[in-house]
Amino acid sequence: MSDHASSRREGMRWGVAAMAGVVGGVILLVLQMLLEPVFVGGSPWGTPRMIAAVALGTEVLPPPETFDAGVFLTGVVLHLAMSALYGLALGAITHGMFLEMAVIMGAVFGLALYVVNFYLLTALFPWFAGSRNWVTVFSYIVFGLATGWILASRHTRRPAYTRL
């Protein structure tokens, strides 16, 4: 039986999918915090503040875009929780796919998330419109690529002699 066929028959590993989303979410957040200030201006704390405002209200939005531990932790926790859910969704979509296809699907998924978050959900959270830029698009695509790669590499069965 091929690796693909046996992988398809195995059940979905939900914990792996959630963790893949969290890892992808960390990568996305770090990219945003590093690249956005350099290429589009602003503070590295802007993105976590915008996310935290979903739970804490708009009074946490800048200015000033300074560090606030409570706001930062709220933003990170909310972001990683959503990332875990996105990992579950992508895991369900890519389960049993070959690595290359899962990575491509991950990139498409990341781009779709960008569109949903920064064009559709701005009706509820209008402050997200301010992050419609190439850095955010790039970060979301990298999120999808990384999450898809982790999912496919963790869900693909390999012969016993190749496992570590």
Side-chain angles (χ1 to χ4, degrees):
M1 181 180 322
S2 73
D3 283 345
H4 179 67
S6 62
S7 175
R8 215 20 158 166
R9 282 185 351 157
E10 281 185 11
M12 175 71 178
R13 292 169 52 194
W14 297 105
V16 170
M19 189 52 65
V22 168
V23 171
V26 168
I27 292 169
L28 184 153
L29 190 58
V30 168
L31 283 172
Q32 284 288 125
M33 291 178 70
L34 292 176
L35 298 178
E36 195 157 310
V38 172
F39 293 104
V40 296
S43 165
W45 313 117
T47 297
R49 280 182 175 278
M50 287 193 318
I51 298 166
V54 171
L56 300 176
T58 57
E59 59 272 4
V60 302
L61 292 173
E65 290 185 330
T66 56
F67 179 77
D68 177 298
V71 173
F72 178 77
L73 288 174
T74 300
V76 169
V77 168
L78 184 56
H79 173 70
L80 295 181
M82 293 303 300
S83 296
L85 292 175
Y86 294 149
L88 293 171
L90 185 57
I93 293 166
T94 62
H95 182 68
M97 288 184 179
F98 288 112
L99 178 66
E100 297 82 0
M101 191 61 186
V103 170
I104 291 167
M105 186 60 68
V108 171
F109 185 82
L111 186 58
L113 279 179
Y114 168 80
V115 170
V116 168
N117 287 343
F118 294 92
Y119 287 91
L120 299 179
L121 289 181
T122 53
L124 297 172
F125 311 112
W127 57 91
F128 283 122
S131 286
R132 292 177 184 159
N133 58 56
W134 72 267
V135 169
T136 307
V137 172
F138 174 76
S139 299
Y140 270 73
I141 291 172
V142 171
F143 163 81
L145 289 169
T147 305
W149 181 82
I150 293 166
L151 285 164
S153 66
R154 293 324 222 146
H155 282 139
T156 301
R157 287 183 56 123
R158 289 166 269 157
Y161 62 85
T162 63
R163 292 186 193 143
L164 297 177

